[in-house]
Structure formats: structure tokens, C-alpha cells
Amino acid sequence: MIQESDRSGNFYYYQSFIYRKIYCYSAENNQAKPWHMNCWFSPMTETNIIKLLDDIIARGIEINSSDIHLEPREEFVRVRYRVDGLLNDADPVPKTKQAALISRIKVMVNLDISESRLPQDGRTNVKLGRNEFDIRVSTIPTIFGEKVVLRMLERKRTLLSLDELGMTPEDLATYRRLIRQKNGMILITGPTGSGKTTTLYGTLKELNSRENNIVTIEDPVEYQLPGINQIQVNYKTGLTFPRVLRSVLRQDPDIILVGEIRDLETARIAVQAALTGHLVFATLHTRDAASCALRLQEMGIEAYLVKDVVIGAVAQRLVRRAPQGRIGVFEVKEFQMGPGRNPTPRC
């Protein structure tokens, strides 16, 4: 065995130079295949690990990947990139580099490198050329080590307008009529990765003006919107959705975006905001647009309040269609206004 240390002398890495042939499992053909990477392992210095991680991230940015998965296996670390909704395998990483690679990721996002038994979350940003990217990191323990997922978000990514989302002319006209109301609640629903944030940001982009005070409460803030006050919740410091939402109501807002209604307390405050003259956008997890009102009632909101404040809902999915790739499919539903609703449109 050969021992090497970095300049600080705090970390020691051991690496074998024994030439050996490694086989990795291929999920595609259910057969073992020789590892095509160089089997003469180079010394595992800190510089090599940093370069390895930089190459993995740079490759993800190059192929426009939304997520990078590092999945420990018994004999290697599987690397996969999610591109256009599908995971694609890349060159695996030797098992001997697993611990150092994961530690490097934790250091990069200021996580506890000594904690490997509990999930952790962190974030950082990197710059490639003129583009800046936010990277959200999530770790979780598995039987072969910690699995890591890096979510890639381009800061200056061009946001789609409502006309570019893919709504039918009828649905788009209905949705524009809804978002021009001065008060009420509009709910966006769909599975994870269906484009709810894209729809909401496109909506705020259209409503953003000097006359409107727009405040968003998100977890996390995925893209920075000029001219809009964006707040990221922080559960570690007690900055939760309900607490932020109460404070936002004292900030004289015109339009409020709640990243997700997760509990009864958040739902009640959001309903109260819609009742007191604010236009509220929020997301829920339901199967279709019509189920949004029922979901609020199941959470504990009275039926008469739901009828009075919810003015519309949008259900959306991303459907794969060759050769265009994934396209958005929308269902826009306009609910009948309750007796207390003010139908005056926003100018």
C-alpha cells in the first residue's frame, strides 16, 4: 500500500497499484462487462478528487442535466445524469474513491462530513464560463454508502412566458382571465418535475409591474426574478411557511406566491390572505384540477371558505412525444365565484 497526504497533512489516502480487472454490472443487457476505464489507479490525492468532481459537474452542465445521481454499489459508484426527464448512465467511479468524493461534496456545500447515518441537504453555486449555476445537494444513507443527488439550476436561465408553456388558446385565455383578478386563490397541481414552478414563474413574469408588490415564499428559490421579493424558508432557523406568510401579510403585498401548501396552518393563512384582498398562488399535490378544492377540505378548510376563495386551478403534466421531447399538457378549471368574491379584474 502507498500512503499519500495532502499539503495540510489532515487527510491520508491509501491507494493500491495492483493491476486488476474490474467488472461492473450492466442493467441494459443483464451481463457483466469489463470496466473500460484505466485500471492502473493513480494516487488518490485531494487534487484528483477535486478534479473528478469538477469533471462530473461540468459534464452535467454540458449535457443540460437537471440532476446528477451518485449511487454507491458493492464494487463501484454509479453515475447517472437526468436529461429531458430520463436517467442516463455515465462512466462509473472506482469504489476506492467513494468516501473521498462524497466528503468533497459535503465540504463544498458545508455539510457535516462526519455524519453518514442521517440525510443532509445543502447548496452552493458554481460558475462555468459566463453562466452561474445553483447546486442543491441531498445525501441519504444506503447499504453501500451515502447516495448523493445534485440538482442543477441555471441562475440566468430564460424563463418561459405563458404563451410558450403549451396551453391551448382556450385554456390560456381562461388562465389569463383568472390571474387578472384582484383577490382570490389559484392553485397549481401536478407531480414532481411537471413544470409547476415554470408555470408560476411565467405567471409572475406577466404580472410583474411597478404597481404590484409581489412576494414569493419558496423552498427553495429556484430562479431569481428581477423586481420580485423572494423569500426562502429555513426550517433550521424556524423560518417556516406559516411564519413567513404571517409576516408577509404585514408587508402590504398585492400578489403572494406560496411554494407549497403542506399543512393546515399554511392553508388557513393562505385562505385568510385571499379573503383580505390578495391574489394568492400556491401548489398542491392532487390528480386533477377539480380535486384541488376537495384537497383543501380534507386538510381542514371549511367548504364555504374554499368556495369563496378558490377561483381556479391548473393541473399539468409533462408528456414525452417524439421527436419534440417532453411537452406540457394542461387542464385549466375556473371555479364558480362565491357570493363574497369581488370579480373586479386587475388592471
Side-chain angles (χ1 to χ4, degrees), residues 4-13 46 113:
E4 292 200 359
S5 63
D6 65 344
R7 294 182 180 179
S8 65
N10 295 327
F11 298 96
Y12 295 89
Y13 301 110
E46 184 180 9
I113 62 174

Side-chain angles (χ1 to χ4, degrees), residues 54-271:
D54 289 347
D55 290 344
I56 291 173
I57 293 175
R59 176 58 179 165
I61 294 174
E62 180 184 354
I63 63 177
N64 197 26
S65 171
S66 61
D67 301 89
I68 302 174
H69 292 245
L70 303 177
E71 305 171 350
R73 294 294 183 260
E74 188 173 4
E75 296 181 351
F76 60 94
V77 179
R78 187 182 190 185
V79 180
R80 296 199 288 176
Y81 297 96
R82 186 176 295 280
V83 181
D84 196 23
L86 296 178
L87 284 172
N88 301 278
D89 279 298
D91 294 339
V93 173
K95 188 70 172 179
T96 52
K97 297 184 179 181
Q98 173 180 319
L101 178 61
I102 293 176
S103 294
R104 171 59 190 168
I105 295 173
K106 288 183 175 181
V107 170
M108 183 178 69
V109 296
N110 198 28
L111 298 182
D112 185 358
I113 62 174
S114 65
E115 179 58 74
S116 60
R117 298 167 298 176
L118 296 173
Q120 297 188 72
D121 297 285
R123 66 183 303 162
T124 187
N125 58 78
V126 298
K127 188 173 184 180
L128 185 65
R130 297 183 178 180
N131 298 326
E132 292 187 13
F133 294 83
D134 285 330
I135 301 180
R136 288 157 39 195
V137 174
S138 173
T139 70
I140 192 168
T142 69
I143 59 174
F144 295 123
E146 288 182 278
K147 180 182 183 296
V148 181
V149 175
L150 296 85
R151 168 64 63 88
M152 316 293 292
L153 299 169
E154 187 176 356
R155 281 190 173 183
K156 295 183 179 180
R157 182 179 178 181
T158 303
L159 298 176
L160 298 179
S161 65
L162 293 182
D163 295 301
E164 299 171 315
L165 292 179
M167 292 185 184
T168 64
E170 295 78 11
D171 284 342
L172 183 58
T174 301
Y175 186 63
R176 279 204 163 107
R177 184 167 61 251
L178 289 172
I179 67 176
R180 291 298 173 184
Q181 300 299 318
K182 297 187 66 173
N183 61 320
M185 180 183 291
I186 300 174
L187 299 171
I188 311 294
T189 182
T192 301
S194 61
K196 298 188 296 295
T197 300
T198 301
T199 300
L200 287 171
Y201 281 6
T203 303
L204 296 185
K205 182 180 178 181
E206 182 158 318
L207 295 177
N208 191 16
S209 66
R210 295 181 179 179
E211 292 77 20
N212 290 329
N213 176 22
I214 303 177
V215 182
T216 73
I217 309 168
E218 306 174 63
D219 182 26
V221 174
E222 295 194 7
Y223 300 107
Q224 298 178 8
L225 303 174
I228 293 178
N229 307 288
Q230 296 175 270
I231 304 170
Q232 178 166 314
V233 301
N234 188 338
Y235 291 98
K236 293 182 180 180
T237 61
L239 196 65
T240 61
F241 275 109
R243 185 171 184 176
V244 176
L245 189 51
R246 288 194 195 94
S247 300
V248 165
L249 292 177
R250 296 191 288 269
Q251 292 283 317
D252 187 32
D254 297 295
I255 301 171
I256 303 172
L257 185 151
V258 182
E260 183 179 353
I261 296 180
R262 300 178 177 177
D263 51 55
L264 177 59
E265 186 178 10
T266 305
R268 286 197 180 281
I269 302 173
V271 167

